[in-house]
């Protein structure tokens, strides 16, 4: 399934744009995985490797990794770059 289909099929989507060589990306990965477990069924989490999905990264203007994009009903609502802990991630998304 491509990313656009995921956006159409899910009310809320958190896209984690990262790279395997990126230290902060590796630090953020367990935070995103914990978020995914806590919000399973509410928010679809998608991990996107910018090296493997260059066109998608370019489409969304990803210049720094990690970058998180948050979509509601297919519309980009929020974006942030860099590491954050789980509490900060939930606060940023205004989810509790």
């Amino acid at each position: 399934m491509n990313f656009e289909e995921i956006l159409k099929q899910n009310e809320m989507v958190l896209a984690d744009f990262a790279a395997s060589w990126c230290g902060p990306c590796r630090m953020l990965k367990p935070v995103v995985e914990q978020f995914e477990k806590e919000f399973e069924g509410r928010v679809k989490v998608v991990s996107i490797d910018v090296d493997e999905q260059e066109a998608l990264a370019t489409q969304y203007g990803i210049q720094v990794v990690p970058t998180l994009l948050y979509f509601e009903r297919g519309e980009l609502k929020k974006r942030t770059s860099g590491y954050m802990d789980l509490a900060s991630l939930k606060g940023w998304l205004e989810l509790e």
Side-chain angles (χ1 to χ4, degrees):
M1 181 179 311
N2 72 34
F3 187 64
E4 298 304 320
E5 291 173 359
I6 291 170
L7 291 179
K8 288 177 186 174
Q9 292 183 4
N10 295 276
E11 182 81 12
M12 295 181 283
V13 175
L14 178 66
D16 175 19
F17 285 82
S20 59
W21 47 262
C22 167
C25 299
R26 289 192 299 271
M27 291 171 50
L28 184 61
K29 184 176 178 153
V31 172
V32 172
E33 288 172 347
Q34 182 61 40
F35 175 86
E36 183 176 24
K37 287 178 188 173
E38 285 189 31
F39 289 91
E40 185 175 359
R42 287 183 55 199
V43 179
K44 173 72 173 170
V45 176
V46 181
S47 296
I48 300 163
D49 186 310
V50 296
D51 292 326
E52 294 174 8
Q53 300 289 327
E54 288 181 40
L56 190 59
T58 299
Q59 177 182 341
Y60 287 101
I62 306 300
Q63 297 180 348
V64 175
V65 288
T67 292
L68 298 175
L69 302 183
Y70 177 68
F71 298 83
E72 288 182 3
R73 293 176 288 289
E75 183 180 338
L76 178 60
K77 294 292 189 177
K78 295 184 176 193
R79 72 184 299 139
T80 189
S81 297
Y83 173 81
M84 67 176 74
D85 61 23
L86 183 59
S88 298
L89 176 58
K90 291 191 286 189
W92 175 69
L93 293 173
E94 301 171 2
L95 299 171
E96 286 298 327

